[in-house]
Amino acid sequence: MVDAVVSVFLEKLLEALSEGSRVLIEFRDQFETLQNELQLMQCFLKDAERLKRKNQTLRLIMVNLREHIYQAEDMLADCQLQSMDNDSSLSSGWLMCFNPSKIPLQYQTGKRLEEMIEKIFEIKKNISTYLGVPILSQPGNYGPHDDQIPRWSSPVYDHTKVVGLEGDTMKLKNWLLEGDKEILAIGVVGMGGLGKTTIAQTVFNEREMEDYFERRIWVSVSQTFTEEQIMRSILRNLGDASIGDDAGQLLRKINQYLLGKRFLIVMDDVWDGDIGWWSRIYEGLPKGNGSCVIITTRITEVAQKMAVKESRMHRPKCLNKHYSWLLFRNVAFAAHGGVCKYPELEGVGEEIVDKCRGLPLAIKAVGGIMLCKPPRYPEWKRIADHFRDELAENDNSVMASLQLSYDELPSYLKSCFLCLSLYPEDCVITKDQLVHWWIGEGFVPLRCGRSATEAGEDCFAGLTNRCLLEVVDKTYYEAIDSCKVHDMVRDLVIDIAKKDAFSGQDYSSTRHLSIDTPIANKQLTANSKLRALLSTTKTGEVNEIALNIARKFCDSHYLRAIDLSRSIFETPLKGLLSQVGSLQHLTYLGLSNTHPLVLLPPSLEKLQNLQILDVSYCQNLKSIPTYIVTFKKLRVLDASHCGSLDFLPKGLGRLSQLEVLLGFKPAKSNQLEGCRIGELKNLMRLRKLGLQLTRGDEIADTEVHSMVKLPELQHLSISCFDSHGDDIIAKLDKFFPPEQLHELSLKFYPGKISPMWLNPISLPMLRYLSICSGNLCKMNRGFWGDDNTSVWRIEGLLLESLSDFEEEWSKVKQVMPSLRVVSGSWCPELVSFPIQDIGFRGGVWKKEEPENL
C-alpha cells in the first residue's frame, strides 16, 4: 500500500502548501522538493504493490519508503500545528523568524527534512540500481489527482439481485415446509465463495418464510466464538439484550421465547467440528411445531455432527456458463442495466469469466473491477492478463480475483479498504463510522472544494460497487447504511494490513488498533505510531473498559481518530479524557452511545484540528460546551438522540465548514445562551440537517426563511417528537426549505394536513420523501400539483405508523410518475396501496423492471 501512503501524504502536503501558513513558508523549498521526488516515483509505485510480492529486495525498499513517508507526514502535521500556535499568538509573520523560543524547533525541523529528502533520493537510486527500473527525471502528468473519483450519487450495482440460484432456494423452501415433531436440520455445504450464505439468506428473507415461521433467527458463527456468544446472539434476534445473564439463564430464556412457536434458526458459516456447544443448545430448544435449522458450512463432517441427514444435505454447484456471464454482466455493466453495449468487450469478458470457474464471489469481484474501468478493449485485456498471472501464482480463483481487485484499486481506496482489517468476523459496520474515520485520517481526497462527507460516501460506494463490501442494511430507497466483510475478503485484507504494518498484533508499533471486548491491557502500551483507535464491537454488544485501560487512550500523541462508541466506563468520561487536549492532531472523536458521559472535558477546547464530533445517543449528556463554536475545521456535529440536551450553544453559525448537523435543538425564547434557528443561514456548506422541534417559540417569525438560501442543503429531517401546542404547526407551515432539497423526512408531525410548502413547485428536486408517526390525515391541496400540471420527481416514498392517513394510490402514482419504490407499514387507511398487510407490518412495492436474459 506504499502508493496509498504516498498519495495520502501528497494530498495533505498539497493542501498545506496551498494554505500558505507561516511556518510552512519557512520550509516550503524542502517540502516542494519532497513533493517532486515522490511524484516522480508514483507511476512506479502503482506497479510496485504487485511486484513486491515476488521480489524480496523491492519489498524491503517499499517498507523503508513507507516508514519515511509516515515520518514526513508527522513532520508536516507538527509544522501545521506550530503555525496554528503562531497565528494565535503573533500578529505579524516576520516576527516568528526572530522568536528565540522557536529557533531550535525550526532548526531541527529543517535538518530532519533535509535528511528525509536524502533518504528518498537514496531509495530512488536503489530502485534504479537493484531493480533496473528507471525513474523519471522530470515530473510527469501523474499526480495525486489522477486517481479520478467517480461521483456515485448512489450505488450502481444492486446487491440484492441473485443469479442462477433459483433451484437451490426452491429446494430449501420445500424442505423447510416439511418440518415435523423434531427440529429439521438442513445443511448447505460447499467451498468458500460458492454462495452458501446467499442461498440461505434469500430463503430466510422471503415473505413466504416470514409468514410461515413465527420466529426467524440468524446467527453468524465466527471461527473464534463461544457458546455464550451464540446464545446471546440468538436472544438479540428475539429482542432481548440479555445483559448480566449467565449461560444457564440464557438457555432458559431462549426456551421461553420459542416455546410453542414454529421457528427457523440459521447457523451461518460453522467451522468447528467440536459441536458440543450445539448439542447443549439443541437440547434446550423446544421441539415440535415444524421448526427448522439451516447450517451453512464448508465441511461436510460439521453438518453431519449437527444432525443433518444426507437426504437434507444440499451441495450447491458452481454457476454454469450462462449464469456466470449473466452475473458478470449485471455487475460489470450495472450502469447500463446489465447490458453489454460494447461488442468488442464480450470476448475478453467471457475469457475473464471462464477463469472464475463458476464461483459467484470471484465473478462479482472481477465484475466490480470492470464496472470501474473504462469500457476500452486494451484496458480489459490488461486486466485479463493480470488475472491470468494471479491464477498462475494462486490456483484459488476467488482469492486471485480478490487480490486482483485490491491491486486495481485507486490509491486513495487502498487505505480505505485496509481499514476493514480491524473489524471482527461478521461484524456489522456502519457507513458513517467508516466515512468519518476516512475523513479523519485524510484518506478521502478533496478536490476543488468538494464536500468531505460527499467524497467519503463516494469512497464507500467505490468499495461496494467493487463487491468488496457486503450489504447488510439499506434505507427505504436502497441506499446502503451498513455492511460487513465476506470472510475470504477479510482474510485478504488482514494479510495485506499485517504485511504493511497498517494493523496487526504488534500493539507497540501498529498504526491502527481496534477496541473490542475484552480488551487486553497490553494492547494499549505507548505507541508513537498509532493513528486510529476504534471501537469495533458487534451489533448488540458493548465494550466494558477498565479504568487502567481508559487512562491510556491519550498517550499516543499522533492519534488522528478515536472512536469509543458503544462503550461503558467505570467512571465518567469527563475525568478519563481530561488529557484529550494533548492529542492536538486529533480530527475525529466518536463518543456515540458511551456511558457515563454527562459533560465533555474542558481540555477538548484545545483540539482546534477537530473535524468530526459524534456524541449521538448519549442520553445523559447535559450540554455541549460553548468552546465548540471555535472549532473552525469542524465538518460533522452529531448530537442526535441526546435526551438530556436542551439546546446547542449560541454561535454555531460561525462554523463555516460544517457539512452535517444532526440533533439540532433550537433554543427557546428564554434560553439566551442557546443557538437560535436563525444562525443556520450562515452555514453555507451544510449538506445534511436534523432538526428537533417541540414548541412554536423555537422559531421566530423572522427565522422561518433561515434555510431557504442554504445552497448545499440536500438532506433535511424534521422531528416533532414530544411537541405540544398548535403554534408549532402554524410555524412549520411557514417554514421554507431550499428548493434543491433532495431528501426530506418528517417525523411525528403534529398537524392533520401536511405543510403548505410540501408541494412539487416549492421542492422541484425532491427525490425521497419519508413521513413517519404523527397526526397526519391528508396532504395539502398543493401536494397534488397545480391543476395537475406539476408532478413530483420523487423516486422513493416511506409511509409508516400513520394511523389516520388516508389517500388513494391512483392519485399518488399520477403525481409521482418517477416512483420506483414505496415502503409502507402500520397505515391501516391506505387500503388502495399495492402493499400486502400495509395496516400491520406492511412491506415494499417496487416498480417492475425488465429482466436481462
Side-chain angles (χ1 to χ4, degrees):
M1 61 166 291
V2 182
D3 58 326
V5 176
V6 170
S7 180
V8 169
F9 172 67
L10 287 176
E11 287 284 346
K12 292 181 178 180
L13 181 56
L14 190 67
E15 181 183 1
L17 291 174
S18 66
E19 290 174 354
S21 61
R22 293 172 181 141
V23 172
L24 284 179
I25 289 174
E26 285 287 304
F27 309 113
R28 189 178 188 93
D29 289 344
Q30 291 101 316
F31 275 121
E32 285 185 343
T33 300
L34 186 58
Q35 179 186 33
N36 290 337
E37 290 303 314
L38 293 174
Q39 285 177 337
L40 288 172
M41 300 173 69
Q42 271 198 302
C43 285
F44 167 74
L45 292 177
K46 286 184 72 69
D47 291 327
E49 186 66 41
R50 181 168 51 90
L51 297 173
K52 73 178 184 181
R53 295 199 295 272
K54 305 174 185 178
N55 189 309
Q56 178 67 20
T57 302
L58 179 58
R59 187 181 301 120
L60 294 173
I61 291 174
M62 292 298 101
V63 168
N64 196 16
L65 176 61
R66 181 192 68 214
E67 294 304 310
H68 287 317
I69 300 305
Y70 276 128
Q71 292 173 25
E73 191 177 316
D74 288 341
M75 278 194 282
L76 177 64
D78 285 336
C79 285
Q80 289 177 293
L81 201 60
Q82 184 184 348
S83 181
M84 289 174 63
D85 291 341
N86 286 327
D87 287 345
S88 62
S89 60
L90 298 171
S91 58
S92 56
W94 65 271
L95 287 174
M96 180 190 64
C97 302
F98 302 100
N99 188 335
S101 65
K102 304 294 182 183
I103 291 175
L105 179 60
Q106 287 176 266
Y107 173 76
Q108 290 295 330
T109 301
K111 183 179 178 182
R112 288 174 63 197
L113 275 172
E114 291 294 341
E115 292 172 352
M116 179 72 63
I117 292 168
E118 287 298 321
K119 290 173 182 176
I120 300 297
F121 277 144
E122 185 179 346
I123 288 172
K124 190 173 74 168
K125 181 181 177 181
N126 288 340
I127 291 172
S128 298
T129 302
Y130 293 113
L131 303 175
V133 179
I135 303 292
L136 297 173
S137 59
Q138 293 293 326
N141 294 326
Y142 188 88
H145 297 286
D146 286 353
D147 276 336
Q148 293 299 317
I149 305 178
R151 295 199 173 194
W152 310 105
S153 57
S154 61
V156 175
Y157 170 59
D158 182 1
H159 292 254
T160 62
K161 286 186 177 179
V162 177
V163 171
L165 302 179
E166 293 80 5
D168 303 85
T169 57
M170 182 60 68
K171 186 176 183 180
L172 258 63
K173 284 166 60 178
N174 290 336
W175 285 349
L176 289 170
L177 298 174
E178 295 175 358
D180 53 22
K181 293 181 180 179
E182 289 299 312
I183 298 174
L184 175 65
I186 296 171
V188 184
V189 182
M191 63 193 299
L194 193 56
K196 301 182 299 295
T197 298
T198 302
I199 293 168
Q201 217 162 36
T202 302
V203 173
F204 184 86
N205 290 328
E206 283 203 4
R207 185 61 180 255
E208 184 182 354
M209 295 295 103
E210 187 179 344
D211 292 337
Y212 184 73
F213 292 102
E214 296 165 271
R215 295 286 186 271
R216 292 173 306 133
I217 299 163
W218 185 283
V219 180
S220 296
V221 185
S222 66
Q223 294 186 53
T224 55
F225 68 92
T226 65
E227 184 176 336
E228 184 175 319
Q229 286 174 330
I230 296 293
M231 290 191 287
R232 291 190 187 280
S233 180
I234 292 173
L235 282 169
R236 281 197 297 273
N237 274 263
L238 296 168
D240 190 326
S242 66
I243 296 174
D245 296 326
D246 60 28
Q249 291 172 318
L250 294 173
L251 195 53
R252 283 192 294 273
K253 273 190 172 184
I254 291 171
N255 183 282
Q256 290 167 4
Y257 277 116
L258 298 179
L259 192 63
K261 303 285 195 305
R262 182 189 293 128
F263 58 84
L264 170 63
I265 300 177
V266 176
M267 307 298 291
D268 183 43
D269 201 21
V270 184
W271 285 75
D272 194 349
D274 180 8
I275 49 88
W277 59 273
W278 173 244
S279 300
R280 288 184 288 273
I281 292 175
Y282 181 84
E283 286 303 314
L285 296 174
K287 309 301 186 290
N289 299 311
S291 297
C292 299
V293 175
I294 297 175
I295 296 106
T296 73
T297 179
R298 300 184 192 183
I299 308 165
T300 300
E301 290 76 11
V302 168
Q304 291 171 339
K305 289 181 179 180
M306 294 180 73
V308 178
K309 297 177 181 178
E310 184 61 35
S311 61
R312 292 297 176 264
M313 195 90 72
H314 177 57
R315 296 178 176 85
K317 293 181 173 59
C318 296
L319 297 180
N320 62 29
K321 189 171 184 178
H322 167 74
Y323 283 124
S324 294
W325 176 241
L326 178 58
L327 178 57
F328 176 80
R329 275 172 35 207
N330 283 346
V331 182
F333 303 109
H336 301 290
V339 178
C340 177
K341 295 186 176 182
Y342 311 95
E344 69 277 13
L345 299 182
E346 288 196 14
V348 67
E350 289 172 349
E351 177 190 340
I352 291 171
V353 172
D354 286 344
K355 291 182 173 68
C356 296
R357 301 167 189 169
L359 291 168
L361 183 57
I363 295 168
K364 289 197 291 185
V366 293
I369 297 171
M370 309 323 293
L371 171 62
C372 303
K373 296 293 183 182
R376 295 196 294 266
Y377 178 83
E379 183 70 358
W380 278 51
K381 187 66 171 70
R382 182 185 67 81
I383 300 295
D385 292 342
H386 279 192
F387 194 18
R388 183 193 60 234
D389 294 343
E390 283 298 331
L391 285 169
E393 296 292 321
N394 185 348
D395 194 47
N396 184 324
S397 61
V398 173
M399 295 310 294
S401 67
L402 295 175
Q403 182 66 64
L404 178 67
S405 187
Y406 173 76
D407 290 342
E408 291 296 327
L409 283 176
S411 297
Y412 67 89
L413 275 185
K414 286 183 178 176
S415 296
C416 297
F417 177 67
L418 291 186
C419 292
L420 305 176
S421 63
L422 265 68
Y423 293 91
E425 289 177 88
D426 298 306
C427 180
V428 176
I429 310 167
T430 65
K431 178 181 72 173
D432 285 344
Q433 186 186 49
L434 284 176
V435 170
H436 291 168
W437 178 9
W438 296 341
I439 294 172
E441 278 215 65
F443 293 160
V444 177
L446 302 181
R447 311 286 163 79
C448 305
R450 192 172 179 213
S451 157
T453 51
E454 184 182 13
E457 287 165 4
D458 282 342
C459 289
F460 182 83
L463 292 181
T464 56
N465 281 325
R466 287 171 171 85
C467 301
L468 294 173
L469 292 173
E470 294 188 336
V471 177
V472 175
D473 292 313
K474 286 185 173 185
T475 65
Y476 67 95
Y477 54 88
E478 300 182 340
I480 300 171
D481 262 348
S482 61
C483 62
K484 64 178 182 178
V485 185
H486 190 282
D487 55 355
M488 298 184 80
V489 177
R490 185 171 177 270
D491 289 343
L492 173 72
V493 74
I494 287 175
D495 182 59
I496 297 172
K498 182 179 180 181
K499 290 176 180 176
D500 285 325
F502 185 90
S503 60
Q505 298 301 311
D506 186 359
Y507 302 119
S508 62
S509 61
T510 187
R511 287 188 164 81
H512 303 89
L513 184 63
S514 63
I515 306 173
D516 52 19
T517 301
I519 186 169
N521 188 15
K522 63 181 180 180
Q523 287 181 315
L524 288 176
T525 54
N527 177 3
S528 62
K529 295 182 178 181
L530 194 63
R531 302 296 183 88
L533 183 66
L534 287 104
S535 171
T536 57
T537 53
K538 292 186 177 182
T539 304
E541 296 181 0
V542 294
N543 294 314
E544 296 182 14
I545 301 178
L547 186 62
N548 62 325
I549 300 294
R551 284 175 173 164
K552 297 179 180 179
F553 287 159
C554 301
D555 287 350
S556 300
H557 294 301
Y558 281 104
L559 270 170
R560 266 64 163 187
I562 296 182
D563 185 333
L564 305 178
S565 56
R566 301 181 303 282
S567 298
I568 297 175
F569 298 85
E570 294 177 355
T571 59
L573 262 74
K574 180 183 178 182
L576 289 177
L577 296 179
S578 60
Q579 301 302 314
V580 73
S582 64
L583 305 177
Q584 294 194 35
H585 298 294
L586 199 68
T587 53
Y588 167 36
L589 179 59
L591 300 174
S592 175
N593 206 2
T594 52
H595 180 82
L597 180 61
V598 179
L599 295 170
L600 292 171
S603 69
L604 192 69
E605 184 176 6
K606 298 177 182 178
L607 303 183
Q608 293 300 307
N609 281 311
L610 201 65
Q611 296 184 37
I612 298 166
L613 178 61
D614 183 358
V615 292
S616 60
Y617 293 95
C618 292
Q619 294 291 346
N620 297 317
L621 184 64
K622 293 183 177 179
S623 66
I624 301 286
T626 55
Y627 59 68
I628 197 172
V629 304
T630 66
F631 291 173
K632 296 179 181 179
K633 297 184 178 182
L634 198 67
R635 298 179 188 272
V636 177
L637 175 58
D638 189 350
S640 57
H641 305 284
C642 295
S644 302
L645 198 61
D646 288 330
F647 53 81
L648 298 186
K650 188 176 182 179
L652 214 62
R654 290 157 54 186
L655 300 176
S656 60
Q657 298 299 310
L658 204 62
E659 299 174 12
V660 176
L661 175 58
L662 302 178
F664 179 75
K665 296 181 179 179
K668 299 174 179 62
S669 54
N670 62 343
Q671 295 171 327
L672 302 180
E673 67 273 31
C675 183
R676 295 285 296 179
I677 206 166
E679 284 198 53
L680 298 182
K681 65 184 179 183
N682 300 319
L683 303 178
M684 305 304 286
R685 295 182 63 86
L686 197 65
R687 291 183 63 236
K688 187 178 294 188
L689 173 63
L691 290 176
Q692 293 178 238
L693 305 172
T694 56
R695 286 174 28 175
D697 66 342
E698 293 170 344
I699 310 171
D701 290 335
T702 56
E703 295 177 318
V704 293
H705 293 91
S706 299
M707 293 186 296
V708 74
K709 292 185 178 180
L710 294 179
E712 302 296 328
L713 189 63
Q714 294 186 354
H715 308 270
L716 174 63
S717 173
I718 301 175
S719 173
C720 298
F721 178 73
D722 200 27
S723 64
H724 39 83
D726 292 338
D727 54 341
I728 183 69
I729 301 173
K731 287 291 175 66
L732 278 173
D733 212 31
K734 299 176 183 177
F735 215 47
F736 277 95
E739 65 175 12
Q740 82 278 357
L741 203 66
H742 193 72
E743 179 185 352
L744 173 66
S745 171
L746 289 177
K747 301 175 182 177
F748 301 99
Y749 182 69
K752 294 186 179 297
I753 300 176
S754 64
M756 294 300 295
W757 46 263
L758 189 55
N759 64 74
I761 297 175
S762 299
L763 298 173
M765 308 298 290
L766 195 67
R767 291 292 186 276
Y768 308 111
L769 174 63
S770 164
I771 306 176
C772 301
S773 303
N775 302 328
L776 192 66
C777 297
K778 287 281 185 182
M779 291 299 189
N780 71 80
R781 183 177 177 182
F783 181 88
W784 307 108
D786 184 11
D787 296 326
N788 295 322
T789 58
S790 301
V791 295
W792 288 99
R793 299 174 71 177
I794 289 174
E795 299 175 13
L797 176 65
L798 170 65
L799 301 171
E800 185 178 285
S801 301
L802 301 169
S803 57
D804 299 320
F805 185 61
E806 185 177 0
E807 291 291 0
E808 292 296 320
W809 171 243
S810 57
K811 289 177 65 179
V812 172
K813 279 205 73 177
Q814 183 177 353
V815 79
M816 298 181 184
S818 302
L819 201 60
R820 57 179 178 82
V821 59
V822 179
S823 178
S825 59
W826 306 100
C827 299
E829 302 302 322
L830 298 182
V831 292
S832 64
F833 277 56
I835 297 175
Q836 181 183 348
D837 210 12
I838 195 171
F840 187 40
R841 56 187 175 182
V844 177
W845 169 87
K846 289 186 179 181
K847 185 177 181 179
E848 290 187 9
E849 302 288 349
E851 290 190 14
N852 298 312
L853 300 176

